[in-house]
Amino acid sequence: MKRNRMNWLSRLLRSLDTRHYLILAALWTAGIIVALTIPAPGLPKVDPSLTLDKFAHVILFGGLAIFWMRALRPDEPRVPWTIPWRRVRNLFLGGLLFAVGSEFYQLIIPFKRSADPYDALADVVGLVLGLGTYLLYRSRTVESNEEPAAREG
């Protein structure tokens, strides 16, 4: 049963092209901004403990990294795959600026929000996990799709 779900998910992901991932990445980013803007009067100012809030930040920024890594990958024929270090670096730096900037944003909006450096740290952890997950997934899917002769040579 689990294998059937993975095959369905794999087929769905392969059916999407760069244009679809650009839309998904933009919507995901907009969703993060909306989530940051919602008033949250019950939240404590700074809570360094591992709470559901921190896990939400990890998931949000992990998804951000995965969607943008795929969205910025050109649709190209199957060629030997290497790690796109420039894209990884640029996405990490952009995500870092977004994480830190989002905390400053929460300071200036007129709603009850507060900046939390631990949220920014959770965002960075999510970025790193998302980048690593994308690179691992991509390397394995390319490796499994190579022709047997190409792998031997």
Side-chain angles (χ1 to χ4, degrees):
M1 181 80 166
K2 185 177 180 180
R3 189 165 184 81
N4 287 339
R5 277 190 237 148
M6 293 306 289
N7 287 339
W8 175 84
L9 179 61
S10 181
R11 282 193 310 267
L12 173 67
L13 292 174
R14 289 174 193 222
S15 72
L16 301 176
D17 62 17
T18 299
R19 174 184 60 218
H20 298 117
Y21 279 99
L22 279 169
I23 293 167
L24 287 171
L27 289 173
W28 191 270
T29 305
I32 291 174
I33 294 168
V34 168
L36 294 171
T37 307
I38 296 172
L43 292 177
K45 278 204 170 282
V46 175
D47 182 13
S49 64
L50 292 176
T51 62
L52 186 59
D53 173 57
K54 302 303 178 264
F55 287 118
H57 280 267
V58 169
I59 297 299
L60 287 172
F61 276 76
L64 181 86
I66 290 169
F67 283 133
W68 280 110
M69 279 297 290
R70 176 53 185 91
L72 298 174
R73 186 191 98 201
D75 286 325
E76 54 195 24
R78 300 215 189 281
V79 294
W81 187 74
T82 59
I83 295 175
W85 289 114
R86 184 179 305 155
R87 188 167 17 127
V88 170
R89 181 198 64 213
N90 291 344
L91 200 105
F92 177 77
L93 291 175
L96 181 64
L97 287 173
F98 185 44
V100 173
S102 69
E103 295 307 315
F104 285 112
Y105 169 71
Q106 291 181 75
L107 280 175
I108 64 171
I109 60 175
F111 307 113
K112 175 105 171 93
R113 294 297 297 211
S114 62
D116 183 353
Y118 296 108
D119 284 350
L121 180 61
D123 296 343
V124 172
V125 169
L127 278 171
V128 170
L129 289 175
L131 290 170
T133 299
Y134 174 82
L135 294 173
L136 181 65
Y137 171 79
R138 180 81 174 120
S139 69
R140 290 194 176 180
T141 57
V142 168
E143 184 178 287
S144 68
N145 290 328
E146 286 180 352
E147 296 292 325
R151 229 182 291 153
E152 293 169 7

